[in-house]
């Protein structure tokens, strides 16, 4: 078994930043500041930018290969979203993890996902093909110990439930809301045993959905949504500098 993945990035080739991906111009209609914002949100969610980390407009502009203006615009949005804080006489820093916000995100996620599950179960023959394929991807990530791939397939599976319900934008709202919850999940540093448990739980959720088993599905989703929250106190004790309230 490989050791748990460290929060310290692995060495990368010269000229490449292991923490942030360059933001390049392309034909997409999104503004540069939007792409900077998306990259910073992703880096905060994945702990590539750790809670409390210092942020400099100049440094970020260099690392993202953009000018300072889109970085400044993105940081302002991140402050409004509560992901970045400006500390007087200290500077701009990544926001700390709030267990209160984690609990609220859990409530929103659990409530909406149970509702989406109920809608899908009303379909006499829901198409679970994509869900089964995502379970296969999770099994592969388990065998290869690729935790990043597991997280991606995990997110996609829950998103597919919302897509089947006909309310995909509800999942987008959940994703925006649960960023604090995602940071807690990343901080928990999964091992093979916990990933195995999650895959087994995902499989039971998909089985319950296909069988239109509402009581079992509700119970599984509620349990699933509360897993990370149960780790909050121990993670805060282990990483006190990462948490607020």
């Amino acid at each position: 078994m490989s050791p748990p993945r460290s929060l310290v990035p692995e060495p990368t080739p010269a000229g490449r930043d292991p923490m942030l991906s360059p933001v390049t111009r392309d034909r997409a209609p999104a503004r540069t500041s939007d792409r900077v914002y998306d990259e910073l949100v992703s880096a905060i969610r994945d702990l590539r930018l750790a809670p409390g980390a210092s942020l400099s407009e100049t440094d970020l502009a260099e690392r993202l290969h953009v000018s300072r203006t889109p970085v400044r615009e993105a940081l302002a949005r991140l402050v409004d979203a509560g992901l970045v804080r400006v500390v007087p006489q200290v500077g701009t820093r990544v926001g700390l993890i709030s267990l209160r916000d984690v609990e609220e995100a859990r409530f929103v996620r659990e409530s909406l996902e149970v509702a989406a599950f109920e809608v899908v179960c009303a379909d006499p023959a829901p198409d679970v093909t994509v869900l089964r394929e995502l379970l296969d991807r999770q099994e592969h990530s388990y065998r290869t110990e690729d935790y990043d791939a597991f997280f991606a397939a995990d997110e996609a599976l829950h998103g597919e439930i919302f897509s089947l319900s006909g309310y995909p934008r509800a999942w987008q709202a959940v994703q925006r809301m649960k960023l604090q919850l995602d940071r807690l999940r990343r901080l928990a540093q999964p091992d093979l045993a916990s990933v195995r448990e999650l895959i087994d739980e995902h499989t039971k959720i998909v089985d319950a959905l296909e069988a239109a088993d509402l009581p079992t599905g509700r119970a599984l989703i509620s349990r699933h949504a509360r897993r990370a929250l149960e780790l909050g106190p121990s993670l805060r004790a282990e990483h006190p500098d990462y948490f607020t309230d």
Side-chain angles (χ1 to χ4, degrees), residues 7-9 17-21 39 43 47-50 63:
L7 295 181
V8 178
D17 189 329
M19 307 300 285
L20 296 171
S21 300
E39 172 59 20
L47 299 184
R48 286 178 282 141
L49 289 174
R63 294 162 68 183

Side-chain angles (χ1 to χ4, degrees), residues 128-143 150 153-154 156-158 160 195-208 210 224:
V128 298
T129 303
V130 173
L131 292 173
R132 296 294 181 192
E133 291 173 352
L134 289 166
L135 287 173
D136 289 341
R137 283 171 51 187
Q138 291 177 28
E139 290 286 358
H140 179 73
S141 71
Y142 171 76
R143 291 193 298 270
F150 171 76
D154 182 337
L157 184 140
H158 292 286
E160 176 64 10
V195 169
R196 179 73 265 162
E197 291 175 1
L198 289 169
I199 294 173
D200 291 344
E201 208 161 71
H202 288 154
T203 301
K204 292 176 182 178
I205 290 172
V206 174
D207 289 345
E210 188 171 28
H224 198 71

Side-chain angles (χ1 to χ4, degrees), residues 79-99:
V79 170
D80 290 341
L83 301 179
V84 166
R85 58 192 178 121
V86 178
V87 183
Q89 300 181 340
V90 174
T92 303
R93 295 186 178 276
V94 176
L96 301 178
I97 298 172
S98 164
L99 290 181

Side-chain angles (χ1 to χ4, degrees), residues 8-25:
V8 178
E10 296 293 329
T12 55
R16 290 187 57 192
D17 189 329
M19 307 300 285
L20 296 171
S21 300
V23 173
T24 58
R25 294 182 180 275

Side-chain angles (χ1 to χ4, degrees), residues 42-124:
S42 177
I44 292 171
R45 171 184 286 115
D46 298 344
L47 299 184
R48 286 178 282 141
L49 289 174
S54 179
L55 300 174
S56 158
E57 282 185 16
T58 300
D59 177 58
L60 289 174
E62 291 177 355
R63 294 162 68 183
L64 294 169
H65 299 180
V66 297
S67 67
R68 291 178 60 182
T69 298
V71 172
R72 185 179 305 116
E73 293 173 357
L75 286 175
R77 291 174 60 189
L78 289 166
V79 170
D80 290 341
L83 301 179
V84 166
R85 58 192 178 121
V86 178
V87 183
Q89 300 181 340
V90 174
T92 303
R93 295 186 178 276
V94 176
L96 301 178
I97 298 172
S98 164
L99 290 181
R100 188 176 305 155
D101 289 348
V102 170
E103 164 58 23
E104 186 171 8
R106 190 279 313 162
F107 173 80
V108 171
R109 175 184 176 172
E110 181 179 337
S111 300
L112 290 180
E113 190 159 0
V114 166
F117 184 92
E118 292 174 348
V119 171
V120 180
C121 284
D123 186 331

